[in-house]
């Protein structure tokens, strides 16, 4: 990265000359994106929600950065009260590692759209404590949008924000609303912007998944979604915010109950360009992710247990049990 050093109000900022994003170090020595450099006035304009943490900023044990099974767990944000009823089991933040894995992909998307990193409007419609938006902004996606708003109400009223892409991790509960199904219906039948959704492997085995994919291909003449998988099936550890589940002990708030990975979609022209980039240099730049163009191409250990293309140990495909027999795997 070609950087420019700028001292302003006794604070040193490192500015990426290509994107204009300004970085500063917090009390732990970690570099974070905090604003944008305006060359016309030679000034760093700090983002309204980003502040450089001081050395003496208080942090309790629940707010410190740690490791769980090799995955990074980031400090939590208290957030705002939810103006809707939510299943307590849905209170899990998108892992920072998942956003970091996707960074090069989002950078390429911004490039294909003719935008700089800090100009890309990344919309996460599901709000937990706001940590998802904060993480994206710290990575330099300064126009990330993740607010305490009722996604379904705004969708019904046609009041969604303008965005370039959706990056989200929906609630997994299905009662009274099947959130994953509702999101997939919206993404595949009611809008045409790129999307990247972090969700369990069982989703692609649902009947509605194939139905919505069919509408994309047949009615809209668009490609099917593709998949980006991390280095291991349970790499992404989800943190339950203490403010929302105070009854849980510290260890119980770090959970990885499902195999999860990124479900992705781009329209036909963008996907064609993306695939060329991926095979030329993207897979080396995004070394923490693997791409599968179809469900059957997913790594075996990421496939759902009911997927008949999943191979058992020893390399054999699963066989359908004979009628009347009970077989467990």
């Amino acid at each position: 990265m070609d950087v420019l050093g700028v001292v302003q109000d006794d604070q040193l900022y490192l500015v990426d000359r290509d994107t204009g994003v300004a970085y500063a170090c917090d009390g732990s020595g970690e570099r974070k994106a905090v604003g944008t450099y305006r060359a016309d006035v030679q000034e760093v304009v700090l983002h309204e929600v980003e502040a450089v943490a001081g050395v003496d900023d208080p942090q309790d044990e629940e707010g410190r950065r740690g490791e769980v099974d090799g995955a990074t767990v980031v400090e939590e944000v208290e957030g705002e009260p939810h103006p809707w009823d939510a299943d307590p089991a849905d209170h899990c933040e998108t892992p920072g590692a998942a956003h970091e894995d996707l960074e090069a992909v989002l950078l390429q998307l911004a490039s294909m759209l003719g935008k700089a990193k800090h100009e890309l409007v990344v919309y996460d419609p599901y709000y937990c404590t706001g940590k998802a938006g904060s993480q994206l902004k710290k990575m330099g996606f300064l126009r990330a949008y993740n607010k305490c708003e009722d996604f379904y109400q705004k969708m019904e009223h046609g009041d969604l924000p303008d965005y370039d892409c959706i990056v989200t991790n929906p609630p997994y509960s299905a009662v009274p609303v099947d959130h994953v199904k509702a999101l997939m219906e919206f993404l595949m039948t009611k809008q045409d912007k790129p999307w990247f959704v972090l969700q369990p492997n069982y989703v692609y085995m649902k009947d509605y998944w194939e139905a919505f994919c069919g509408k994309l291909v047949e009615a809209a003449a668009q490609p099917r979604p593709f998949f980006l998988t991390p280095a291991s099936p349970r790499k992404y550890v989800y943190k339950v915010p203490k403010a929302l589940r105070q009854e849980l002990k510290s260890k119980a708030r770090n959970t990885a109950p499902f195999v999860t990975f990124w479900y992705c979609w781009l329209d036909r022209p963008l996907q064609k360009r993306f695939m060329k980039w991926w095979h030329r240099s993207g897979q080396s730049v995004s070394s923490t992710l693997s791409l599968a163009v179809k469900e059957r191409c997913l790594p075996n250990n990421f496939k759902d247990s009911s997927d008949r293309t999943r191979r058992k140990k020893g390399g054999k495909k699963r066989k359908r049990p004979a009628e009347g027999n009970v077989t467990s795997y």
Side-chain angles (χ1 to χ4, degrees):
M1 180 171 67
D2 184 15
V3 299
L4 168 70
V6 177
V7 177
Q8 180 176 306
D9 297 329
D10 297 323
Q11 171 69 50
L12 173 64
Y13 298 97
L14 297 178
V15 177
D16 185 332
R17 293 179 187 270
D18 294 327
T19 65
V21 176
Y23 297 85
C25 292
D26 63 9
S28 67
E30 181 181 1
R31 188 178 66 189
K32 298 179 180 179
V34 295
T36 305
Y37 180 66
R38 289 188 54 187
D40 55 342
V41 294
Q42 297 185 341
E43 179 182 354
V44 173
V45 179
L46 296 177
H47 197 278
E48 60 180 10
V49 300
E50 297 295 344
V52 182
V55 176
D56 298 325
D57 281 359
Q59 269 192 335
D60 61 17
E61 189 63 30
E62 299 302 332
R64 292 179 185 151
R65 185 177 294 269
E67 297 288 327
V68 178
D69 294 334
T72 303
V73 178
V74 261
E75 70 275 6
E76 71 182 74
V77 173
E78 187 171 339
E80 302 176 40
H82 297 159
W84 60 83
D85 293 331
D87 187 329
D90 286 334
H91 294 322
C92 289
E93 289 287 5
T94 304
H99 280 150
E100 291 165 5
D101 284 351
L102 199 64
E103 182 176 9
V105 171
L106 293 179
L107 275 173
Q108 176 60 19
L109 174 62
S111 176
M112 292 191 300
L113 295 177
K115 294 194 172 188
K117 182 179 186 180
H118 66 282
E119 296 174 324
L120 188 71
V121 183
V122 182
Y123 177 37
D124 185 340
Y126 292 102
Y127 180 90
C128 186
T129 65
K131 187 64 182 177
S134 178
Q135 286 174 170
L136 287 164
K137 286 172 182 174
K138 287 176 181 178
M139 292 165 56
F141 298 100
L142 300 184
R143 299 193 65 189
Y145 188 106
N146 179 225
K147 295 185 179 181
C148 189
E149 300 173 339
D150 189 326
F151 170 46
Y152 302 117
Q153 187 176 78
K154 293 184 75 66
M155 180 170 54
E156 182 180 352
H157 295 161
D159 192 29
L160 294 175
D162 189 22
Y163 57 89
D164 294 314
C165 67
I166 285 181
V167 176
T168 192
N169 169 214
Y172 298 158
S173 64
V175 178
V177 177
D178 189 331
H179 296 287
V180 172
K181 180 180 180 180
L183 177 63
M184 292 296 99
E185 181 177 15
F186 167 73
L187 293 176
M188 291 200 265
T189 67
K190 299 178 181 179
Q191 68 92 55
D192 59 1
K193 300 288 184 69
W195 50 266
F196 306 86
V197 179
L198 185 62
Q199 56 193 4
N201 62 349
Y202 62 72
V203 174
Y204 76 85
M205 294 298 295
K206 296 288 187 179
D207 290 340
Y208 63 73
W209 171 259
E210 193 57 39
F212 295 149
C213 285
K215 289 183 179 180
L216 261 182
V217 175
E218 296 171 15
Q222 291 291 350
R224 291 176 66 95
F226 59 94
F227 311 93
L228 293 170
T229 58
S232 59
R234 296 182 188 269
K235 174 185 177 181
Y236 299 146
V237 176
Y238 298 79
K239 186 173 181 66
V240 180
K242 182 180 180 181
L244 299 180
R245 296 289 303 275
Q246 296 186 13
E247 78 280 6
L248 295 181
K249 294 183 179 180
S250 180
K251 290 185 177 179
R253 290 204 301 277
N254 297 320
T255 178
F258 303 107
V259 173
T260 56
F261 48 82
W262 291 105
Y263 289 62
C264 316
W265 183 83
L266 304 169
D267 66 25
R268 190 171 298 280
L270 283 176
Q271 184 161 319
K272 185 176 181 180
R273 293 171 62 191
F274 178 84
M275 292 300 175
K276 285 184 177 179
W277 166 79
W278 181 268
H279 293 298
R280 184 175 64 249
S281 60
Q283 55 189 326
S284 59
V285 176
S286 305
S287 58
T288 56
L289 294 174
S290 296
L291 185 147
V293 294
K294 295 180 180 179
E295 292 84 347
R296 68 171 181 266
C297 299
L298 284 164
N300 194 59
N301 54 350
F302 281 88
K303 290 181 178 179
D304 183 67
S305 59
S306 62
D307 187 341
R308 280 192 244 165
T309 69
R310 181 177 178 178
R311 295 181 180 276
K312 298 186 297 182
K313 290 182 179 179
K316 295 182 179 180
K317 289 185 179 180
R318 295 175 181 271
K319 294 182 179 180
R320 179 191 293 272
E323 187 174 352
N325 292 342
V326 177
T327 306
S328 60
Y329 295 108

